[in-house]
Amino acid sequence: MATSMARLGRDLRRLPGRVARRVRGAASSPFASSAAETKAAELRRAFSAYRTDALVDIDVADFTHAVQSRVGIDDAAAEGYSADDLERQRDFSIRFRWGHNHDFGTFAMPGEMRDRHIELMANFLTLFQLPPEHLRGRDVLDVGCWTGGTTLLLAALGANVVALEEVRKYAGTAQFLATSFGLGARVTVRPLSIYGCNTDTFRERFDTVYFPGVIYHLSDPLIALRILYNALRVGGDILVESAGIDTDEPYCRFDGSLVVTHGSRESRDRAGWNWFMPSPSALGRMMREAGFDDVRSVWHAPTGRVFAYARKVAQVPICRAGLSVPGIP
Ligand SMILES: C[S@@+](CC[C@H](N)C(=O)[O-])C[C@H]1O[C@@H](n2cnc3c(N)ncnc32)[C@H](O)[C@@H]1O
């Protein structure tokens, strides 16, 4: 007991020397170092494999039409919303928007997330000093894949990927891209919420969970982290990135769907729907609570976000007091 409390203190207060608690950098660049910039250039080259000249068993014209015609589709009913529901729903869940920038060579899709898939990966690999081959041959769970930019990038790095996406039209698009680029054997996209993964199918199945840009959109981040912990094999690791708050205290900021920072429904998509936005130490505590070990959680000033990395070194129990899913393993 004393040992585990001491370990908790070490994880939360004294991050390993190589990663500072706060990573400095100019706000004009998403990178804190030239190493991260170099890594991003390599990743861009890897991602550029996904151009229309690499399509498999689909005509370029059909592919182009299938991609471009999705944007703007409004399909509330197909997403499971009734007319009575609509006023409170996130516009982005209903009306199709493209996720990450993608230059297909013969045409380009600008994404709402721009080059985040590239920048995030470069930042994770350099911040936590993971070797370039870290993801090669590993079974990776990509959580909240939107239109699949990150999913394709993970596959380009040699991972076998299962991607989750709660918005069905985005899951369908990500799977369409993976199949069109001949990745059907290595990439599966499931139209599922993370909360639908508390099942045997997902238990101890993955070597890495890739979890950027999602935890602050979740109503119950601790249960989500526990589900992801259970999805990992012992020896596996998790990479988390989140909107957050820049304080040393273990605090979260709550906005929810009703905080509108600028007027229109579209801008609410960008500014709202953020449930719990953690400080680095709050996220670190949640990850420890979910069972993770060797937790490193840092404030990354160039992006104004929290980045965290942790490992699963054993299957440990969770404290059951007050859990919203009491039967969770
Ligand atoms: C801000 S985007 C992040 C996309 C990508 N992971 C990245 O970091 O660039 C959040 C994505 O997570 C999805 N999402 C939100 N809640 C989810 C849940 N409970 N289960 C699965 N996906 C979810 C959203 O639909 C959206 O596609």
Side-chain angles (χ1 to χ4, degrees):
M1 178 65 162
T3 310
S4 75
M5 289 311 286
R7 203 177 50 199
L8 174 64
R10 180 200 70 200
D11 284 348
L12 297 180
R13 287 193 303 273
R14 190 172 64 75
L15 291 159
R18 292 170 311 177
V19 183
R21 205 155 8 145
R22 192 169 200 290
V23 180
R24 290 181 222 287
S28 54
S29 161
F31 305 115
S33 65
S34 57
E37 269 182 66
T38 306
K39 178 59 66 188
E42 282 168 30
L43 295 170
R44 270 194 192 94
R45 276 195 294 282
F47 193 75
S48 70
Y50 301 115
R51 296 189 178 223
T52 50
D53 55 9
L55 289 172
V56 175
D57 293 335
I58 184 166
D59 181 70
V60 175
D62 291 346
F63 176 83
T64 307
H65 176 73
V67 167
Q68 292 179 334
S69 62
R70 288 168 199 243
V71 174
I73 285 177
D74 192 318
D75 59 356
E79 292 297 343
Y81 301 114
S82 68
D84 294 347
D85 266 352
L86 287 185
E87 187 47 38
R88 289 295 290 269
Q89 306 313 316
R90 185 176 61 172
D91 190 53
F92 148 95
S93 304
I94 294 164
R95 192 151 54 90
F96 191 107
R97 325 263 181 96
W98 196 260
H100 301 94
N101 285 346
H102 196 141
D103 180 358
F104 288 100
T106 47
F107 72 104
M109 294 299 288
E112 305 258 330
M113 301 258 94
R114 300 186 290 276
D115 279 342
R116 222 180 99 84
H117 52 324
I118 306 284
E119 292 159 4
L120 272 173
M121 184 68 76
N123 280 326
F124 273 124
L125 295 178
T126 48
L127 271 176
F128 300 114
Q129 303 191 333
L130 302 171
E133 66 281 5
H134 184 69
L135 295 158
R136 196 171 306 145
R138 286 171 84 91
D139 294 327
V140 176
L141 183 63
D142 174 20
V143 185
C145 68
W146 203 332
T147 49
T150 303
T151 314
L152 295 181
L153 181 62
L154 287 163
L157 297 178
N160 305 308
V161 190
V162 173
L164 298 177
E165 174 51 59
E166 71 170 5
V167 181
R168 290 171 212 173
K169 55 183 160 286
Y170 299 137
T173 302
Q175 186 67 69
F176 171 75
L177 293 185
T179 306
S180 300
F181 286 109
L183 296 170
R186 285 206 291 127
V187 174
T188 307
V189 185
R190 307 281 309 270
L192 260 186
S193 165
I194 194 172
Y195 297 114
C197 300
N198 183 26
T199 62
D200 287 346
T201 313
F202 285 89
R203 211 136 292 148
E204 298 194 43
R205 158 88 179 70
F206 298 95
D207 303 306
T208 292
V209 168
Y210 197 68
F211 189 33
V214 181
I215 194 167
Y216 54 99
H217 292 309
L218 301 178
S219 61
D220 196 332
L222 178 58
I223 287 291
L225 283 168
R226 183 65 180 187
I227 289 170
L228 297 178
Y229 171 84
N230 287 334
L232 278 173
R233 300 180 178 118
V234 170
D237 57 9
I238 185 167
L239 297 94
V240 189
E241 184 262 9
S242 181
I245 50 173
D246 180 13
T247 168
D248 286 343
E249 300 297 330
Y251 295 159
C252 290
R253 170 182 161 141
F254 184 89
D255 277 354
S257 68
L258 301 175
V259 171
V260 181
T261 55
H262 4 281
S264 74
R265 189 171 173 79
E266 286 193 18
S267 55
R268 279 203 270 164
D269 263 346
R270 288 183 282 275
W273 279 269
N274 292 333
W275 305 123
F276 302 98
M277 288 176 278
S279 68
S281 64
L283 179 59
R285 285 188 182 191
M286 283 191 246
M287 292 169 75
R288 280 287 309 172
E289 203 65 57
F292 289 102
D293 223 307
D294 296 340
V295 178
R296 297 181 244 168
S297 182
V298 301
W299 181 257
H300 185 254
T303 51
R305 311 270 287 195
V306 185
F307 279 72
Y309 177 83
R311 295 191 313 122
K312 175 173 177 173
V313 302
Q315 180 74 36
V316 295
I318 189 168
C319 171
R320 302 204 168 275
L323 278 190
S324 58
V325 186
I328 195 170

